[in-house]
Amino acid sequence: MPASYQAPMVGDKAKDKHASQSVSSNMTTETARVEHLLQSKGSDAIAIAETDTIATAVGILRDKRIGALIVVDASHALAGILSERDIVRKLAETPGQTLPQTVAENMTRDVVTCEPEDTLIKVLRRMSEGHFRHMPVVKGGKLMGMITIGDVINFRLNELEHEALQLKQLIVG
């Protein structure tokens, strides 16, 4: 036993208990949401018209170094999404005939979207379960941006690094 230790005595006052960790101290006060990710990433989403060709889409994907395009109809409303996977599937089905086809013929129409208020954990789970990597962000029917599974993971990794640094500073003083 260290020499500085003094056992509690009968007349000692009860000290306030302090815990370095508890459920409440380990929970962040604000859960990360899609809107936080969009604030750091930006809300740019590259869109293409339904009437454009796959050749045009491939050129945009290559030039912008992205994996999917938002597809909009004549009124600029969300009509679908065209991913590299959609294009590869069509190339296998119609070799040599794919590039002149329209985006509308090849896009995914039933697009799973999220809202800015959705938590990143919920969005990540939906992407994993649905086996897709891109998700448009929509609020009130208006396109707000697009996030990828990589965006979500990188955002969370940055959060974890920040939390680790804060803990280190608490320990070191």
Side-chain angles (χ1 to χ4, degrees):
M1 191 176 309
S4 63
Y5 176 75
Q6 184 175 359
M9 305 290 280
V10 173
D12 287 348
K13 291 182 182 178
K15 293 182 181 178
D16 291 335
K17 290 187 177 182
H18 296 283
S20 63
Q21 291 190 28
S22 67
V23 172
S24 61
S25 69
N26 283 334
M27 298 294 289
T28 57
T29 56
E30 186 173 16
T31 304
R33 300 191 181 284
V34 171
E35 59 196 338
H36 302 136
L37 173 55
L38 286 179
Q39 287 170 359
S40 66
K41 168 192 169 162
S43 58
D44 291 342
I46 311 296
I48 192 166
E50 290 179 298
T51 55
D52 283 329
T53 64
I54 295 298
T56 302
V58 168
I60 295 169
L61 291 170
R62 178 199 61 217
D63 294 345
K64 299 291 184 181
R65 300 184 70 192
I66 55 176
L69 294 166
I70 299 288
V71 182
V72 293
D73 62 18
S75 64
H76 298 286
L78 178 65
I81 190 167
L82 181 72
S83 69
E84 293 168 321
R85 189 179 295 166
D86 294 326
I87 295 168
V88 168
R89 186 178 305 120
K90 198 56 151 185
L91 283 168
E93 292 171 3
T94 59
Q97 303 167 17
T98 305
L99 295 179
Q101 295 176 19
T102 65
V103 169
E105 295 174 82
N106 298 284
M107 69 183 184
T108 300
R109 291 186 182 279
D110 296 327
V111 183
V112 177
T113 63
C114 63
E115 296 186 357
E117 299 79 23
D118 289 343
T119 65
L120 292 180
I121 296 296
K122 176 182 171 184
V123 169
L124 188 58
R125 187 170 289 125
R126 288 170 64 195
M127 288 176 151
S128 295
E129 289 170 357
H131 303 288
F132 52 87
R133 301 177 315 229
H134 302 85
M135 186 180 284
V137 182
V138 178
K139 181 171 182 140
K142 184 179 180 220
L143 183 64
M144 306 299 291
M146 181 152 68
I147 60 173
T148 69
I149 200 163
D151 294 334
V152 176
I153 291 169
N154 285 330
F155 187 87
R156 185 61 185 134
L157 285 175
N158 288 335
E159 278 187 327
L160 289 172
E161 286 176 4
H162 181 71
E163 290 171 18
L165 181 60
Q166 287 180 320
L167 286 173
K168 188 175 182 181
Q169 289 173 342
L170 281 173
I171 293 168
V172 174

